[in-house]
Amino acid sequence: MAKKTATQFPSPLKGEFTNWAIRRLSKDTVENYRTYLNQLPTYLQGVFLKNHKMPSFLNDYLDLINAFVNAGDRLYALSVYDKIYEIVYAAKQQCQVSDKANWNNRHSAMVALGDFLNEYGFMPNNTVPVDKLRKKISKSDLKKEDGMYALLSAMKPDIFIKMAVESSYFFDPDLVDNTPTNLHQARFTEDPTINIQGAKKGATNVTYTIDGLNFPGVSVDKDGNAFVRKLINAKTGVTVSQGQNSLIQNAIISHVWGRAYDPRYFTSLWNIVLIPAWANSLMDKEEAVPGSLASKMRATYMAICSKLYAKTFNDPNKLNAINLPKPPQIKNSNDEIHGVYDINVIQESPNPKKIVHISKTTKKI
């Protein structure tokens, strides 16, 4: 099969692929980029190689990118790209402020290469043997494939997040304020820093030790959200995460601040939003990297909940009742996507066996 050049591919979804960018995909550009990297002070090179468990020379990684791209090996090419970008980003952070503009210019070629590989997968060429080269990358370092990539690449982050938020279901502020947190229920955890006396799912009368506080008499949820499903149904009549029996289909019970293992957070309705299944996986990343889509999404949901449930969060009696010294904080608040959101609100039902009431409200953050 004849090898395709960059100019034979259509423009990527993320924007026009300019001649400037195409030139930086050439082998000569990679060679020039190697020269830039080698200009790092020796002590910094040593720190990066040690911290990132790199091979002896950065050249190995740049050569691997070329080999894998030409061999049509998308997975390994992207894995190599991630590694070299990690090094360059670390260099950028440690350089003097006055040098950061130069580092932006110097690693822009690798950013262009990353976009190219993501959009088109590979440039077919079966003449380059890479079997031995693959052994340079451990399986644990391979890039994780994301089934949501096609969806995410088709829209801007703020559009994606707005669509997710406006397809979610929040709880009415009065319902939240009038529903006490059950400090005797929590999710199972294997976190060694949290003492639950070796208890398993479904266990009862367990003492959770969290942040130096003891929560005795806790029942461990049998499947992760059974107690929450029951609470939501009892208060609102809404069924969710119950397959075909769910009133709200294809939605996930999501704990916005996480910490479902913590009795203070597990059944607190201010911490719970029903998020569409196609978006919820991004909410599972509690330690999302600042600036990432996951961080922006989590920060935006936190900001909306903080505003929607301000009455509860501003009541010290409510917080003291569950041993929270202060309201939950917005992580990476600079990542909030500000705007006006039309959100779905589930209200408390006077007769949850027969009546469900879902309304709309507008919130600006």
Side-chain angles (χ1 to χ4, degrees):
M1 183 179 294
K3 180 178 178 180
K4 292 184 179 181
T5 65
T7 55
Q8 291 174 292
F9 288 95
S11 295
L13 294 173
K14 292 184 178 179
E16 289 296 319
F17 218 17
T18 64
N19 290 333
W20 176 88
I22 291 174
R23 286 198 302 271
R24 283 155 177 75
L25 296 177
S26 68
K27 183 177 179 179
D28 288 342
T29 298
V30 175
E31 293 292 337
N32 291 336
Y33 188 70
R34 176 187 292 127
T35 300
Y36 282 129
L37 288 177
N38 286 339
Q39 290 175 355
L40 274 173
T42 303
Y43 80 94
L44 280 182
Q45 290 191 32
V47 170
F48 299 148
L49 296 179
K50 178 180 179 181
N51 290 349
H52 300 292
K53 298 180 180 179
M54 304 291 287
S56 300
F57 301 97
L58 297 179
N59 295 1
D60 292 347
Y61 272 68
L62 293 167
D63 291 338
L64 275 173
I65 289 178
N66 282 330
F68 289 133
V69 168
N70 291 334
D73 195 329
R74 175 182 181 276
L75 178 62
Y76 277 80
L78 285 172
S79 301
V80 173
Y81 166 76
D82 278 357
K83 277 294 182 181
I84 196 67
Y85 184 87
E86 183 181 333
I87 282 186
V88 176
Y89 183 78
K92 175 185 170 185
Q93 295 301 103
Q94 294 196 35
C95 282
Q96 297 295 323
V97 174
S98 60
D99 294 332
K100 286 190 176 181
N102 291 329
W103 277 104
N104 277 326
N105 293 332
R106 293 174 185 182
H107 80 252
S108 60
M110 306 310 291
V111 175
L113 176 58
D115 283 343
F116 179 81
L117 294 176
N118 265 317
E119 296 292 350
Y120 302 118
F122 54 81
M123 298 194 304
N125 184 343
N126 297 322
T127 63
V128 180
V130 294
D131 289 343
K132 293 183 179 180
L133 298 179
R134 286 191 185 93
K135 295 179 180 179
K136 290 179 176 285
I137 307 294
S138 66
K139 189 174 180 180
S140 62
D141 284 336
L142 290 179
K143 183 178 180 65
K144 306 302 185 292
E145 293 292 282
D146 189 346
M148 292 179 64
Y149 176 74
L151 176 64
L152 296 177
S153 64
M155 61 182 73
K156 295 180 179 179
D158 56 341
I159 296 176
F160 178 86
I161 292 172
K162 182 176 177 65
M163 184 181 295
V165 168
E166 294 187 342
S167 299
S168 298
Y169 294 82
F170 297 77
F171 294 98
D172 180 73
D174 288 337
L175 169 60
V176 170
D177 199 52
N178 294 325
T179 303
T181 297
N182 191 329
L183 294 178
H184 298 292
Q185 295 176 348
R187 182 180 290 176
F188 172 76
T189 180
E190 293 182 341
D191 189 332
T193 65
I194 299 169
N195 179 18
I196 59 172
Q197 305 171 344
K200 301 298 182 182
K201 293 180 180 179
T204 59
N205 199 29
V206 177
T207 296
Y208 274 62
T209 302
I210 301 171
D211 297 337
L213 300 172
N214 289 330
F215 297 91
V218 175
S219 293
V220 185
D221 198 283
K222 64 181 180 181
D223 67 10
N225 270 327
F227 291 140
V228 178
R229 291 197 303 271
K230 184 177 180 180
L231 172 65
I232 293 172
N233 184 248
K235 289 288 186 178
T236 69
V238 169
T239 49
V240 63
S241 295
Q242 297 184 49
Q244 292 301 314
N245 294 324
S246 298
L247 179 65
I248 299 178
Q249 298 276 320
N250 298 314
I252 306 295
I253 295 173
S254 183
H255 288 79
V256 176
W257 276 271
R259 297 184 66 94
Y261 58 80
D262 190 329
R264 296 172 294 181
Y265 286 77
F266 183 52
T267 61
S268 290
L269 291 181
W270 47 257
N271 190 34
I272 298 169
V273 178
L274 309 185
I275 296 178
W278 51 264
N280 185 66
S281 63
L282 291 168
M283 295 296 290
D284 291 336
K285 300 173 174 57
E286 290 198 29
E287 300 304 323
V289 177
S292 66
L293 177 61
S295 177
K296 291 177 181 179
M297 187 162 170
R298 285 175 56 82
T300 302
Y301 272 92
M302 290 176 185
I304 292 173
C305 288
S306 295
K307 192 163 189 176
L308 193 61
Y309 307 130
K311 179 181 177 182
T312 302
F313 288 165
N314 291 332
D315 187 343
N317 292 326
K318 299 285 186 182
L319 300 180
N320 291 336
I322 59 173
N323 286 311
L324 269 186
K326 59 183 179 180
Q329 304 299 295
I330 300 173
K331 297 179 181 178
N332 303 331
S333 59
N334 289 336
D335 284 341
E336 297 171 20
I337 301 298
H338 296 280
V340 177
Y341 295 88
D342 294 323
I343 62 176
N344 301 301
V345 175
I346 302 174
Q347 297 184 335
E348 185 170 9
S349 173
N351 187 348
K353 291 185 178 180
K354 296 183 178 180
I355 299 174
V356 171
H357 188 187
I358 299 175
S359 61
K360 287 273 190 180
T361 190
T362 299
K363 285 295 172 184
K364 181 179 180 180
I365 64 167

